[in-house]
C-alpha cells in the first residue's frame, strides 16, 4: 500500500508528517458514521483491512456488500481483536457496553475513538469500562452527518472540511490524542480540542435543542385535524426548518437523554425568547416585533457569512446552509 501524501495542519497550515497507515480498523456500529469513517480511511490509503460488527446480521451483510468493511465479525470483541484502530460508532447509550465488551482485547498500541454526539456520558462510560486502557481512548465528535441513518448513506467524503471535536480527559494519553488529531486531519477534517462539559453545553445550544424543536414542531402540526391539508400547502421554508425532524429516533433519543440537563437549560432560554415574541404579538407592538426579527436575522446572516470560527461556506458542506448534512 502506498503511504498517503503529507497533509497540512488545518489550524496552522504547517505540513504534517505522513501518518503511518493502520493495519486493521475495527468499526463497531456499521452505520452512517462508522461506515463513512471506514470509506474515508480506505480512500485515503490509511488502512489495510476493515473488520466490522453491527447489531444485526443484515446491517453487517450490507456493509460488506457495499465495500465498507472487508470482514464481518460475530461480536464486538472479535472485531477489536488484532485491530490497531477501533471506532465505536453506535448510539451513545450503547457506548459503555461496547467498550466493556472490547476491553480485554484492546492491544498495547491500539487507538480507540468514538463518534458520539454527547461527550460527558461517553467519558464516564469509558472510565468505567476501559480499566488500564483508558489512556488509549480519545473521545471524538465529528460535526458532520445526515438526517438519514444507515450504512447505505455512508460516504467517503462525509468528514472532509468538517470540524471534529476531540474531548480528551486527564486519563487520555496525550500521544493518543495527537494520533487521533493527525488521523482526522489526514481525512481533511478541522480538529478542535474541548473539555467534555463545554462540548455538551455548546452542542445542546446549536444542535440538540434545535433537533428537539424540530421534532416538537412536527408533532404539534401532525396532531391537528387539518394536518394533512396544512402539510400539502407547505413550502421551502417548512422543508428547511423541519429537515432534521427526519433524524433517527434511537440515535436522537440517546442524545437527548444523555445531555438532558443542558438541553433543558437551553429549552428555558428558548421559552423566554418565545415569551418575548408572544408578548410583542399580544401588545400589537409592531416596532418591537420588527426589532426582534431584525436582531435574529442579523445574527443568522453573520453566522452564515462566516463571522464565527465554524463558519459555513460553499467550500464547507458540513455546515453549508440548505445542504443535505445534519451536524449533530
Ligand atoms: P446509524 O446509521 O443508525 O448507525 C448506528 C450503527 O450502530 C448501526 O450499524 C447499528 O446496527 C449499530 N448498533 C446499534 N446499537 C448497537 C449495539 N448495541 N452494538 C453494536 N452495534 C450497534 O447511526 P449513526 O448516525 O451512524 O450514529 C452513530 C453515532 O454517531 C451516534 O452515537 C451519534 O450520536 C453519532 N453521530 C451521528 C451523526 C449523524 O448526523 N448521523 C453526527 C455526529 C455524530 P444495526 O443497523 O444492526 O441496528
Amino acid at each position: 500500500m502506498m503511504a498517503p501524501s503529507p497533509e497540512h495542519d488545518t489550524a496552522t497550515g504547517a505540513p504534517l508528517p505522513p501518518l503511518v497507515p493502520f493495519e486493521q480498523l475495527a468499526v463497531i456500529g456499521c452505520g452512517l458514521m462508522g461506515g463513512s469513517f471506514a470509506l474515508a480511511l480506505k480512500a485515503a490509503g490509511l488502512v489495510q483491512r476493515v473488520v466490522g460488527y453491527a447489531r444485526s446480521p443484515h446491517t453487517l451483510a450490507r456493509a460488506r456488500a457495499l465495500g465498507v468493511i472487508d470482514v464481518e465479525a460475530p461480536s464486538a470483541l472479535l472485531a477489536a481483536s488484532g485491530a490497531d484502530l477501533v471506532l465505536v460508532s453506535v448510539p451513545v447509550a450503547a457506548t459503555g457496553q461496547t467498550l466493556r465488551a472490547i476491553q480485554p482485547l484492546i492491544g498495547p498500541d491500539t487507538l480507540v475513538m468514538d463518534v458520539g454526539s454527547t461527550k460527558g456520558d461517553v467519558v464516564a462510560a469509558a472510565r468505567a469500562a476501559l480499566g488500564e486502557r483508558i489512556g488509549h481512548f480519545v473521545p471524538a465528535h465529528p460535526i458532520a452527518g445526515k438526517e438519514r441513518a444507515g450504512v447505505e448513506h455512508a460516504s467517503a467524503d462525509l468528514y472532509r472540511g468538517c470540524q471534529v471535536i476531540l474531548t480528551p480527559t486527564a486519563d487520555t494519553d496525550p500521544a493518543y490524542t495527537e494520533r487521533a488529531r493527525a488521523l482526522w486531519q489526514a481525512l481533511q477534517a478541522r480538529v478542535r480540542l474541548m473539555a467534555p462539559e463545554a462540548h455538551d453545553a455548546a452542542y445542546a445550544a446549536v444542535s440538540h435543542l434545535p433537533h428537539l424543536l424540530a421534532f416538537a414542531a412536527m408533532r404539534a402540526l401532525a396532531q391537528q385535524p387539518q394536518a394533512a391539508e396544512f402539510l400539502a400547502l407547505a413550502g421551502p421554508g417548512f422543508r428547511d426548518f423541519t429537515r432534521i425532524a427526519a433524524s433517527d429516533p434511537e440515535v436522537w433519543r440517546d442524545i437527548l437523554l444523555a445531555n438532558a440537563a443542558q438541553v433543558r437549560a437551553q429549552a428555558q432560554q428558548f421559552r423566554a425568547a418565545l415569551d418575548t415574541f408572544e408578548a410583542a404579538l399580544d401588545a400589537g407592538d409592531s416596532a418591537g416585533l420588527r426589532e426582534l426579527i431584525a436582531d435574529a436575522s442579523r445574527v443568522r446572516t453573520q453566522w452564515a457569512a462566516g463571522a464565527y470560527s465554524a463558519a459555513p461556506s460553499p467550500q464547507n458542506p458540513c455546515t453549508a446552509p440548505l445542504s443535505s448534512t445534519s451536524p449533530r
Side-chain angles (χ1 to χ4, degrees):
M1 176 174 303
M2 285 178 49
S5 59
E7 301 294 347
H8 290 79
D9 188 305
T10 45
T12 65
L16 290 169
L19 190 64
V20 177
F22 292 87
E23 281 181 22
Q24 182 175 314
L25 163 67
V27 178
I28 302 174
C30 300
L32 171 73
M33 303 300 286
S36 296
F37 186 78
L39 290 173
L41 254 72
K42 286 183 172 198
L46 282 171
V47 68
Q48 292 178 15
R49 184 174 59 254
V50 180
V51 179
Y53 171 69
R55 192 170 40 180
S56 71
H58 173 75
T59 295
L60 214 46
R62 285 294 293 152
R64 175 108 189 274
L66 291 166
V68 169
I69 63 170
D70 306 309
V71 180
E72 299 176 32
S75 68
L77 178 67
L78 290 176
S81 171
D84 49 355
L85 175 61
V86 175
L87 189 80
V88 174
S89 41
V90 298
V92 285
T95 304
Q97 73 194 56
T98 304
L99 293 175
R100 261 195 310 282
I102 66 170
Q103 195 273 345
L105 289 184
I106 295 174
D109 299 316
T110 304
L111 169 62
V112 182
M113 295 190 295
D114 76 318
V115 290
S117 305
T118 53
K119 295 272 74 91
D121 62 317
V122 162
V123 166
R127 280 209 176 99
L130 287 179
E132 63 179 10
R133 292 290 191 233
I134 185 68
H136 296 217
F137 182 61
V138 183
H141 177 198
I143 312 305
K146 299 176 184 173
E147 69 275 17
R148 305 296 305 278
V151 70
E152 290 79 7
H153 302 284
S155 71
D157 60 1
L158 186 73
Y159 302 118
R160 187 174 305 146
C162 295
Q163 287 200 97
V164 174
I165 313 293
L166 303 181
T167 63
T169 67
D171 299 322
T172 306
D173 181 336
Y176 282 81
T177 303
E178 286 314 306
R179 282 172 73 193
R181 183 206 294 269
L183 172 52
W184 285 107
Q185 288 187 338
L187 301 182
Q188 295 175 32
R190 296 175 291 133
V191 175
R192 176 186 283 226
L193 266 59
M194 288 178 81
E197 302 75 23
H199 167 281
D200 288 354
Y203 283 95
V206 296
S207 174
H208 305 166
L209 183 73
H211 277 77
L212 183 67
L213 296 178
F215 300 139
M218 284 306 299
R219 176 180 171 80
L221 176 58
Q223 285 193 324
Q224 298 178 36
Q226 316 96 307
E229 186 186 335
F230 291 169
L231 283 166
L233 296 166
F238 180 82
R239 180 199 63 204
D240 296 343
F241 177 69
T242 61
R243 177 177 60 79
I244 54 178
S247 295
D248 184 73
E250 186 176 2
V251 166
W252 274 94
R253 174 202 63 193
D254 283 7
I255 292 169
L256 295 174
L257 286 174
N259 204 20
Q262 294 291 350
V263 173
R264 278 206 306 272
Q266 288 299 326
Q268 292 301 328
Q269 301 276 352
F270 180 79
R271 274 202 184 86
L274 193 59
D275 287 346
T276 303
F277 275 83
E278 281 189 351
L281 287 180
D282 289 348
D285 179 5
S286 167
L289 187 58
R290 189 195 175 286
E291 206 45 46
L292 290 171
I293 296 169
D295 284 348
S297 177
R298 185 169 55 247
V299 176
R300 192 352 174 132
T301 303
Q302 288 169 345
W303 174 80
Y308 303 91
S309 61
S313 74
Q315 289 75 41
N316 179 4
C318 288
T319 49
L322 307 187
S323 78
S324 63
T325 57
S326 172
R328 287 173 178 172

